[in-house]
Amino acid sequence: MFPARDRLSRWRWLFALLLLVPYRTFALDIAPPEQHLSAGLKAFQQGALEEAVVNWTDAVRSAESAGKPAEQITALEYLAQAYTSLGRYSQAIQTLDAALSIAQKSPDAVQVTALLAALGNAYIAVGPPETAENYLQQSLGLARLDKDAGRTAAVLNDLGNLYAGQRKYAEAIAAYRESAALAQRAGLRVLAARGLGNAAGALRQNGMPKEADAALQAALAEVREALPSSEAVFTWIQIALAFRDLRSRLAGAGDRLLRQASDALYQAGAMAEQIGDARGASYAWGHLGALYEDERRYAEALRLTRQAIFAAQTVNAPESMYRWQWQAARLLKHVATIDDAIAAYRRAVHTLQSIRREITTVYGAPVSSFRDTVGRVYFELVDLLLQRTDSVQDRDRVTAYLVEARDTIELFKAAELRDYFRDECVDTALSKMTRLDAVSPTAAVIYPILLPDRTELLLSLPTGLKRVSVPVTAEALTRVVRQFRLALEKRTTWDFLPQARQLYRWLIAPLEPDLASLGIDTLVFVPDGPLRTIPMAALHDGKRFLVERFALGITPGLNLTDPRPIDRERLKVLALGVTEPVQGFPSLPNVAVELEALRTLFGSTTLLNDAFRVPALEQALKQEPFTVVHIASHGEFGSDIKNTFLLTFDDKLTMDRLDQLVGLLKFRQEPLELLTLSACDTAAGDDRAALGLAGVAIKAGARSALASLWAINDEVSSQLVAEFYRELKDPSVSRGAALQRAQMKVLSNPRYDHPGFWSPFLLINNWL
């Protein structure tokens, strides 16, 4: 038998869509007469979703041209369902909005009910949940009014999905149970099974495993009586995964539950092949292979996984295929050579790159990051590439593996940044990319890669790429990083020193011979994970801080946006700030001193307090070709871009709004050189919030940014920033060196020598 082991934390993101996928039965709708509609429906039922999209898009156009609104609505609804199944929820919402606008002009209330429910479902995936509930409740009210048991049951199932995603398990259970009861009375076997299966998941999460088991047995009884269909296939899969996940919660029933999970996946695969549903077959055989992987029956698991890959290939299903390519790569590590495994990982990463935007939007699940969902694919490939260099003697081949490892992490970091900002801002930056390690002969790029059993340092030097392996696990390093960050913010003690020295020994000491021999004066870090939350300037060798030896910079990726030194002759500064207590934030009295220093140095245009409002900022950016925008006001970077903002006098300036405003400067001959945010704050231990801070220059279309990891005494902040700008006036001083000198000046003051005062300021992206 398979071993009792809960894989939920590992696989949850892979099949949350299957567990909570909204119930729809096309058999309940009247089949449209047009050829495109019929062809699309046939493709959809076979799992060929892209083909269905093409056909239904043609059907929409055809119906519109023919002046047939009812058929246009049907085509739009079908098209939205295809987009939803592909994870393209934003496109689904646009499509459904168009359909609803047409349907509301017709007397067909049934269509309006269905479209409202579909919109509610799409908003379950993308949020906000209040919008999803509003649409679903409207739909539920209409369905109840019409006494339509089938539609009422379907909408209740959807509401249960919404509540479960919000961890409102009692409400979810009630909705699922009512849905299942209505579906049973209406003879809708698959919908009844889906409701019972979903109820089982909510019961398990609510600490009621025995009740969950009973619900699954009832679901199994329903689906066994259902006619073969794609809906039935995915319901079998849903039930199988629920049996598997229940094993860790129900003592003594592990073997029985695993047998039932395996049998249900086999039934799903057999049914999918019977009706020609290749996508369903892919999921069934893939998940069955995962069960065998847990059993360490690797050869059998690999056979099933290859079946899953083949099925996904036949219908061009990349969102399924990368999962099984990844699974095959893991299995090949056990049954074949490292080169076979590397090749499989490469295929998985290649497939992922084509669907990266859809991966982290998971129906019915809490918002998750790209790192949490699929980051392991990239890091596992990098791990193998670095291991491979140990067995290669040829220098050129070693370099090739190291470059591929670095480039693979680059793909991940770019995708991670896109995911945080929820747009393709990174692509604009990459279209003008210049390698960091090709810019300066006296700069070294340090690229830490945190792996489960060790930390790898890739060092880009003027002489080439070098690898250093440090025997410290990601877990151990993260623990010290967290302690270091918390200690740094306690400016009354020097308790941070043990961690500062330990991190120096791990991250800098192994590189010192190379740095010294090549006369390196600038270190640029490409920090990963927890390392984004700390200032490298505060690392300590036992005698000096790192900033006393090197100018420092960070970047979220190895590629810069059009890097070049600032043209001091053309500096034109827009200075913005708030000194007064507004919107619940305390006053920043020294901001006035800070902005006055800028006016004295550069003759800057200043918008202070009541003058610093979004319309005034927009007007200023339209009128003048500023090269520096300096914002001295409270700012917060959260793990979600929605919780990231800068404070204006009367409002909160979101990153999207900042992008729109500063974007006015993006496409002129000289883009924004520097964006300074002098009172930012990111929560300790929040890697994702620090990612947002690290990516702010790219988001704003600036060549570089100066920002702080946490808010500090505004008197010190004003002194440091003013000194940075004074140094920057000298054409022989780089941005990195200007910050270094400013930080060392503050450090030289005994009142402020604690790094909690001067180290949180980071120079992001271009240090030249």
Side-chain angles (χ1 to χ4, degrees), residues 34-215:
E34 283 75 15
Q35 180 179 355
H36 292 308
L37 278 168
S38 299
L41 186 57
K42 181 179 179 181
F44 186 92
Q45 291 169 339
Q46 293 175 342
L49 301 186
E50 296 286 1
E51 184 182 341
V53 166
V54 171
N55 279 288
W56 285 335
T57 300
D58 289 341
V60 170
R61 293 171 182 157
S62 176
E64 184 178 16
S65 298
K68 297 180 178 179
E71 289 161 358
Q72 187 180 355
I73 292 168
T74 299
L76 286 166
E77 186 178 7
Y78 282 5
L79 179 59
Q81 177 65 12
Y83 282 141
T84 297
S85 298
L86 286 165
R88 301 176 191 171
Y89 295 101
S90 295
Q91 288 174 278
I93 287 170
Q94 293 174 5
T95 304
L96 290 166
D97 279 334
L100 186 60
S101 296
I102 301 169
Q104 287 174 332
K105 299 172 185 175
S106 74
D108 191 344
V110 172
Q111 284 186 319
V112 172
T113 303
L115 291 168
L116 289 169
L119 275 164
N121 263 293
Y123 278 106
I124 289 176
V126 301
E130 297 80 13
T131 303
E133 184 163 14
N134 178 49
Y135 278 117
L136 291 173
Q137 290 290 0
Q138 287 184 60
S139 179
L140 181 62
L142 291 173
R144 290 192 191 278
L145 188 64
D146 291 340
K147 298 182 179 179
D148 186 331
R151 290 199 177 276
T152 302
V155 178
L156 283 166
N157 183 70
D158 299 340
L159 270 172
N161 294 343
L162 173 65
Y163 295 142
Q166 296 175 292
R167 296 186 173 89
K168 297 178 180 178
Y169 296 121
E171 293 94 326
I173 292 164
Y176 288 139
R177 282 175 166 166
E178 186 180 355
S179 171
L182 284 170
Q184 285 173 323
R185 288 200 291 272
L188 300 172
R189 297 283 192 180
V190 173
L191 180 52
R194 181 63 55 84
L196 289 164
N198 283 338
L203 287 162
R204 175 178 58 82
Q205 294 284 7
N206 205 37
M208 305 166 71
K210 291 183 179 178
E211 292 84 349
D213 189 20

Side-chain angles (χ1 to χ4, degrees), residues 580-591:
E580 301 174 10
V582 293
Q583 303 178 56
F585 287 83
S587 63
L588 296 169
N590 284 282
V591 161

Side-chain angles (χ1 to χ4, degrees), residues 483-501 537-548 746-759:
Q483 294 168 352
F484 181 50
R485 167 66 188 261
L486 290 172
L488 274 178
E489 294 191 56
K490 297 176 182 177
R491 295 188 284 270
T492 56
T493 75
W494 284 61
D495 291 345
F496 66 86
L497 267 177
Q499 292 85 26
R501 291 172 177 169
L539 300 192
H540 202 279
D541 66 2
K543 297 180 180 179
R544 293 176 293 174
F545 289 106
L546 189 62
V547 74
E548 297 179 79
V746 175
L747 190 161
S748 67
N749 184 336
R751 291 179 60 196
Y752 302 124
D753 60 352
H754 190 289
F757 289 109
W758 51 261
S759 72

Side-chain angles (χ1 to χ4, degrees), residues 224-359:
R224 280 182 177 141
E225 300 299 320
L227 295 174
S229 68
S230 293
E231 283 287 337
V233 168
F234 280 97
T235 302
W236 274 108
I237 294 172
Q238 171 206 9
I239 292 168
L241 299 180
F243 275 131
R244 184 211 56 203
D245 294 339
L246 187 58
R247 293 167 58 215
S248 64
R249 305 286 185 93
L250 201 59
D255 288 348
R256 187 258 299 172
L257 292 170
L258 194 54
R259 276 197 306 273
Q260 289 187 292
S262 177
D263 291 345
L265 287 171
Y266 181 82
Q267 292 293 334
M271 181 181 289
E273 292 189 348
Q274 175 191 346
I275 64 174
D277 181 356
R279 189 177 298 263
S282 173
Y283 280 104
W285 301 134
H287 285 305
L288 188 55
L291 293 183
Y292 278 95
E293 181 186 11
D294 266 359
E295 171 72 356
R296 300 185 182 181
R297 293 165 60 176
Y298 298 125
E300 295 159 285
L302 185 59
R303 176 181 57 79
L304 286 163
T305 303
R306 284 172 169 160
Q307 278 185 254
I309 293 170
F310 178 77
Q313 288 171 332
T314 62
V315 287
N316 187 27
E319 84 292 342
S320 164
M321 187 159 56
Y322 89 86
R323 303 172 184 188
W324 316 131
Q325 288 172 330
W326 180 14
Q327 188 163 288
R330 295 195 307 271
L331 293 165
L332 285 167
K333 283 195 294 185
H334 296 286
V335 302
T337 67
I338 190 172
D339 287 335
D340 291 330
I342 287 173
Y345 272 114
R346 285 170 176 157
R347 290 190 290 271
V349 167
H350 178 75
T351 303
L352 261 176
Q353 288 301 111
S354 69
I355 56 169
R356 59 180 184 265
R357 281 176 288 182
E358 289 82 32
I359 286 299

